[in-house]
Short mmCIF file of all heavy atoms in Angstrom, two decimals:
data_model
loop_
_atom_site.label_atom_id
_atom_site.label_comp_id
_atom_site.label_asym_id
_atom_site.label_seq_id
_atom_site.Cartn_x
_atom_site.Cartn_y
_atom_site.Cartn_z
N MET A 10 19.90 10.70 -11.65
CA MET A 10 19.82 10.59 -13.12
C MET A 10 19.83 12.01 -13.75
O MET A 10 19.56 12.96 -13.00
CB MET A 10 18.48 9.87 -13.47
CG MET A 10 17.27 10.44 -13.17
SD MET A 10 15.89 9.36 -13.61
CE MET A 10 15.93 8.18 -12.33
N GLU A 138 -15.67 7.74 -21.42
CA GLU A 138 -16.42 7.23 -22.57
C GLU A 138 -17.25 8.42 -23.12
O GLU A 138 -17.29 8.64 -24.38
CB GLU A 138 -17.47 6.14 -22.16
CG GLU A 138 -17.26 4.84 -22.79
CD GLU A 138 -18.12 3.85 -22.24
OE1 GLU A 138 -18.15 3.59 -21.00
OE2 GLU A 138 -18.83 3.15 -22.94
N VAL A 155 -8.89 0.65 -22.08
CA VAL A 155 -8.97 1.27 -20.84
C VAL A 155 -9.76 0.38 -19.84
O VAL A 155 -9.35 0.33 -18.61
CB VAL A 155 -9.55 2.71 -20.90
CG1 VAL A 155 -9.93 3.17 -19.49
CG2 VAL A 155 -8.51 3.59 -21.55
N ASP A 166 -3.63 7.35 -15.12
CA ASP A 166 -2.39 7.85 -15.94
C ASP A 166 -2.75 7.61 -17.51
O ASP A 166 -2.49 8.48 -18.28
CB ASP A 166 -1.12 7.18 -15.62
CG ASP A 166 -0.71 7.77 -14.26
OD1 ASP A 166 -1.03 8.91 -13.90
OD2 ASP A 166 0.22 7.17 -13.57
N ASP A 214 -22.71 22.01 -33.72
CA ASP A 214 -23.74 21.32 -34.49
C ASP A 214 -24.54 22.30 -35.25
O ASP A 214 -24.90 22.24 -36.42
CB ASP A 214 -24.73 20.54 -33.51
CG ASP A 214 -24.09 19.27 -33.14
OD1 ASP A 214 -23.06 18.89 -33.71
OD2 ASP A 214 -24.60 18.64 -32.33
N ARG A 374 -52.34 59.58 -71.83
CA ARG A 374 -52.20 58.35 -70.99
C ARG A 374 -52.75 57.13 -71.69
O ARG A 374 -53.59 57.27 -72.68
CB ARG A 374 -52.92 58.52 -69.70
CG ARG A 374 -52.35 59.48 -68.72
CD ARG A 374 -53.12 59.38 -67.45
NE ARG A 374 -52.59 60.31 -66.50
CZ ARG A 374 -52.64 60.07 -65.10
NH1 ARG A 374 -53.01 58.99 -64.72
NH2 ARG A 374 -52.19 60.94 -64.26
N ILE A 390 -61.17 41.00 -58.63
CA ILE A 390 -60.43 42.32 -58.40
C ILE A 390 -59.14 42.17 -57.85
O ILE A 390 -58.14 42.72 -58.35
CB ILE A 390 -61.32 43.16 -57.56
CG1 ILE A 390 -62.59 43.59 -58.33
CG2 ILE A 390 -60.62 44.52 -57.21
CD1 ILE A 390 -63.61 44.36 -57.57
N LYS A 415 -47.84 52.57 -65.27
CA LYS A 415 -48.49 52.49 -63.99
C LYS A 415 -49.43 53.67 -63.77
O LYS A 415 -50.02 53.81 -62.68
CB LYS A 415 -47.36 52.58 -62.86
CG LYS A 415 -46.57 53.69 -62.88
CD LYS A 415 -45.41 53.72 -61.82
CE LYS A 415 -45.94 53.82 -60.47
NZ LYS A 415 -44.91 54.10 -59.42
N LEU A 443 -59.86 52.44 -55.04
CA LEU A 443 -60.14 53.83 -55.39
C LEU A 443 -59.65 54.84 -54.33
O LEU A 443 -59.67 56.00 -54.52
CB LEU A 443 -61.63 54.04 -55.59
CG LEU A 443 -62.30 53.32 -56.81
CD1 LEU A 443 -63.80 53.41 -56.85
CD2 LEU A 443 -61.57 53.61 -58.11
N THR A 452 -52.40 45.41 -52.72
CA THR A 452 -51.84 44.10 -52.70
C THR A 452 -52.84 43.07 -53.33
O THR A 452 -53.81 42.77 -52.84
CB THR A 452 -51.42 43.60 -51.35
OG1 THR A 452 -50.54 44.52 -50.82
CG2 THR A 452 -50.72 42.29 -51.33
N LEU A 462 -50.84 51.92 -57.03
CA LEU A 462 -51.92 52.37 -57.94
C LEU A 462 -52.25 53.87 -57.81
O LEU A 462 -53.12 54.36 -58.49
CB LEU A 462 -53.21 51.62 -57.72
CG LEU A 462 -53.23 50.15 -57.93
CD1 LEU A 462 -54.63 49.50 -57.52
CD2 LEU A 462 -52.86 49.78 -59.39
N GLU A 486 -67.48 61.91 -58.18
CA GLU A 486 -68.17 63.17 -58.65
C GLU A 486 -68.88 62.67 -59.78
O GLU A 486 -68.40 62.19 -60.88
CB GLU A 486 -67.03 64.03 -59.18
CG GLU A 486 -67.61 65.34 -59.64
CD GLU A 486 -66.42 66.42 -60.03
OE1 GLU A 486 -65.39 66.21 -59.41
OE2 GLU A 486 -66.73 67.19 -60.92
N ALA A 648 -114.17 59.10 -54.28
CA ALA A 648 -114.95 58.30 -55.29
C ALA A 648 -116.31 59.03 -55.72
O ALA A 648 -116.49 59.21 -56.93
CB ALA A 648 -115.38 56.94 -54.60
N TYR A 651 -116.40 61.48 -58.51
CA TYR A 651 -116.28 61.19 -59.97
C TYR A 651 -117.26 60.16 -60.33
O TYR A 651 -117.20 59.44 -61.27
CB TYR A 651 -114.88 60.60 -60.14
CG TYR A 651 -113.82 61.63 -60.12
CD1 TYR A 651 -113.20 61.91 -58.94
CD2 TYR A 651 -113.48 62.45 -61.20
CE1 TYR A 651 -112.27 62.92 -58.86
CE2 TYR A 651 -112.56 63.44 -61.23
CZ TYR A 651 -111.95 63.65 -59.97
OH TYR A 651 -111.08 64.76 -59.89
#
Side-chain angles (χ1 to χ4, degrees):
M10 64 183 77
E138 238 174 307
V155 165
D166 284 338
D214 282 353
R374 291 190 181 208
I390 291 177
K415 61 184 289 198
L443 296 177
T452 303
L462 292 178
E486 179 175 333
Y651 290 91

